[in-house]
Amino acid sequence: SVSAVCVTGLITLPTGAYWNLFGQIVIIILIEIGGLGFMTFMTLAFIATGRRISIHDRLIIQAAINSDQISGVVSFVKKIIYFALSIEGIGALLLCLVFVPQFGFVRGVYFSIWHSVSMYCNAGFDLMASVGQSGFTHYVSNTYFTIVICLLIIIGGLGFSVYVDLLDYPKRRKLSLHSKVVLITTGLLLFSGTLFFFLFEFNNPHTMGNLSFVGKLDASFFQATTPRTAGANTIVQASMTNPSIFLTDLLMFVGASPGSTGGGLKTTTLFVILVTVYAVLKGRKDVNVMRRRITRETILRAMTIFAINVIVLILCYFGLMIFDSKINIDYLLFELLSAYNTVGLSCGITADLSVYGKCILIISMFVGRVGPLTIAYLLADTEKRRFDKIGHYKLPPGNILLG
């Protein structure tokens, strides 16, 4: 239940083989709610019942959907719902061309809808165990299937504000700085991830070694896409080389983009940290990018979110090593990063964890999904209260040696 509503995908029992139809429908509903956001559905309920949405409600919705302004949040939520349902519908139609010929019309359509929702919401759940398959490994060399699934994952992980920006581009003829950063960072991560997975797994007989050149490209692109909090797999994760496992760890830590169906540190946070480090090394007073200056508040929030993520992961990792000391520590780190960043990839140890280990993963999934948005909201509220209390004056500076 936690894994579904946090759109993670880690499981202790095979979803398709263990749960009946009712259970599978409950899971996919939880995935949809978790992916689009609780406040998105609450707003839809307000609209459907004709309830007036107060300023307080709008402020909560603004924080939940990561919007930079309160005006137009209701219409923005409507666009989110319309866009999400449209993409999921298109994805389902495209997947029908794969599943219907293989499993028949009824099961094929059901599989198409179910997996389209799961992949768009970056959940990583699949029903393939019900037909005797392990994840999407059967489709590792299917270029069409790879592209459809990866596009659903990528679109779901871009963020709702980027969708609206792209849809308005024909009218405005420009993109916001946020959208540019998200698209550039996402593209670089996908390209570099595909390249390195291709090199690391090229001769690995347990993953891509026996595939054709095109098949290796398909598998590499899928593996570069899925750690961005999706959790689906076409190759066995535990069979990858150590560099590939570590690269997957890094991609899982970064995750998707703000306001999306995915989790993780977020692409924009990584971008702000990197350009800040570059500016400091160049001796620049301001952090400038694409003819815009990154504000001090944005930099401090990025650093704080990064630090909190690292601290929480370290504490949870210690807990896993204490309670599950017999399991490979590399696999434990992989599992924790997958849970905290709501990815869902696994080296096959989820069911083998102790009760305490599973509890740690449950807590980390919840914190990873809810935490970043909550932290950002609390930071903004704390800063406002601090300013109201002390006014405009500043304390004298103090010097601390670093490095």
Side-chain angles (χ1 to χ4, degrees):
S1 179
V2 174
S3 184
V5 80
C6 292
V7 290
T8 303
L10 286 178
I11 56 174
T12 55
L13 296 165
T15 307
Y18 183 82
W19 303 103
N20 59 18
L21 178 62
F22 177 78
Q24 293 172 12
I25 292 175
V26 169
I27 288 172
I28 203 63
I29 291 174
L30 291 176
I31 288 172
E32 188 77 283
I33 294 174
L36 299 185
F38 178 73
M39 285 310 302
T40 300
F41 283 89
M42 286 300 297
T43 306
L44 183 62
F46 290 162
I47 296 172
T49 56
R51 173 181 164 179
R52 180 178 174 273
I53 302 176
S54 65
I55 296 296
H56 181 261
D57 293 332
R58 292 172 187 269
L59 286 170
I60 297 175
I61 295 168
Q62 178 193 7
I65 63 177
N66 217 19
S67 176
D68 58 355
Q69 56 185 6
I70 189 174
S71 61
V73 291
V74 176
S75 60
F76 187 69
V77 169
K78 291 180 181 178
K79 289 181 180 180
I80 290 174
I81 296 171
Y82 294 150
F83 187 86
L85 294 178
S86 299
I87 294 299
E88 289 172 351
I90 294 172
L93 290 174
L94 295 174
L95 289 177
C96 278
L97 298 179
V98 176
F99 289 134
V100 170
Q102 187 175 359
F103 303 120
F105 183 77
V106 175
R107 173 175 272 189
V109 171
Y110 174 66
F111 269 37
S112 299
I113 296 173
W114 207 97
H115 288 102
S116 179
V117 173
S118 180
M119 294 304 110
Y120 173 76
C121 291
N122 279 221
F125 284 84
D126 67 77
L127 303 176
M128 305 314 296
S130 63
V131 292
Q133 297 179 17
S134 175
F136 295 138
T137 54
H138 181 74
Y139 308 100
V140 63
S141 297
N142 189 324
T143 304
Y144 174 82
F145 182 86
T146 297
I147 292 175
V148 172
I149 294 294
C150 286
L151 283 177
L152 285 170
I153 294 170
I154 293 168
I155 294 172
L158 287 178
F160 303 123
S161 59
V162 178
Y163 307 157
V164 176
D165 213 12
L166 289 173
L167 291 174
D168 291 341
Y169 180 77
K171 299 178 182 177
R172 300 170 55 194
R173 290 295 174 182
K174 65 177 181 178
L175 293 175
S176 66
L177 177 61
H178 170 79
S179 296
K180 292 178 182 178
V181 169
V182 168
L183 293 173
I184 291 172
T185 308
T186 299
L188 289 174
L189 289 173
L190 288 172
F191 175 78
S192 58
T194 301
L195 175 62
F196 284 115
F197 280 123
F198 183 82
L199 296 175
F200 294 154
E201 300 297 320
F202 190 88
N203 293 318
N204 186 353
H206 304 293
T207 55
M208 307 178 193
N210 299 322
L211 301 178
S212 65
F213 184 83
V214 175
K216 290 176 181 178
L217 286 177
D218 292 338
S220 300
F221 180 58
F222 197 99
Q223 186 61 31
T225 304
T226 191
R228 311 294 309 292
T229 84
N233 68 289
T234 56
I235 59 176
V236 180
Q237 303 300 293
S239 299
M240 293 191 301
T241 61
N242 288 333
S244 292
I245 291 178
F246 183 65
L247 178 58
T248 304
D249 287 342
L250 294 177
L251 291 175
M252 288 194 295
F253 181 69
V254 175
S257 301
S260 69
T261 60
L265 178 71
K266 300 297 190 295
T267 54
T268 49
T269 305
L270 173 67
F271 182 87
V272 169
I273 292 173
L274 292 179
V275 295
T276 300
V277 171
Y278 179 77
V280 171
L281 293 176
K282 297 290 287 186
R284 296 173 180 171
K285 183 178 179 180
D286 294 325
V287 180
N288 301 319
V289 59
M290 301 178 196
R291 298 184 179 180
R292 293 291 185 273
R293 177 177 57 86
I294 307 298
T295 64
R296 177 176 176 272
E297 290 74 17
T298 301
I299 295 171
L300 290 177
R301 289 186 186 184
M303 296 296 183
T304 303
I305 291 172
F306 175 80
I308 291 175
N309 274 269
V310 172
I311 292 170
V312 172
L313 284 170
I314 289 174
L315 293 175
C316 291
Y317 191 36
F318 268 118
L320 287 178
M321 287 192 292
I322 292 171
F323 296 117
D324 292 280
S325 57
K326 295 181 180 180
I327 298 178
N328 187 311
I329 60 173
D330 293 333
Y331 289 174
L332 287 178
L333 178 61
F334 190 96
E335 200 83 3
L336 175 60
L337 286 168
S338 180
Y340 182 73
N341 298 296
T342 70
V343 180
L345 291 174
S346 175
C347 288
I349 65 169
T350 312
D352 299 328
L353 293 173
S354 65
V355 174
Y356 299 109
K358 291 175 183 175
C359 287
I360 290 174
L361 289 190
I362 288 173
I363 294 171
S364 63
M365 283 190 286
F366 184 78
V367 173
R369 182 57 182 162
V370 179
L373 295 178
T374 307
I375 291 168
Y377 183 79
L378 289 175
L379 285 173
D381 187 58
T382 302
E383 180 68 16
K384 180 179 181 300
R385 286 189 282 107
R386 185 192 66 81
F387 181 79
D388 292 340
K389 183 178 180 180
I390 69 173
H392 292 277
Y393 75 85
K394 295 181 180 180
L395 296 173
N399 186 39
I400 298 177
L401 300 178
L402 299 175

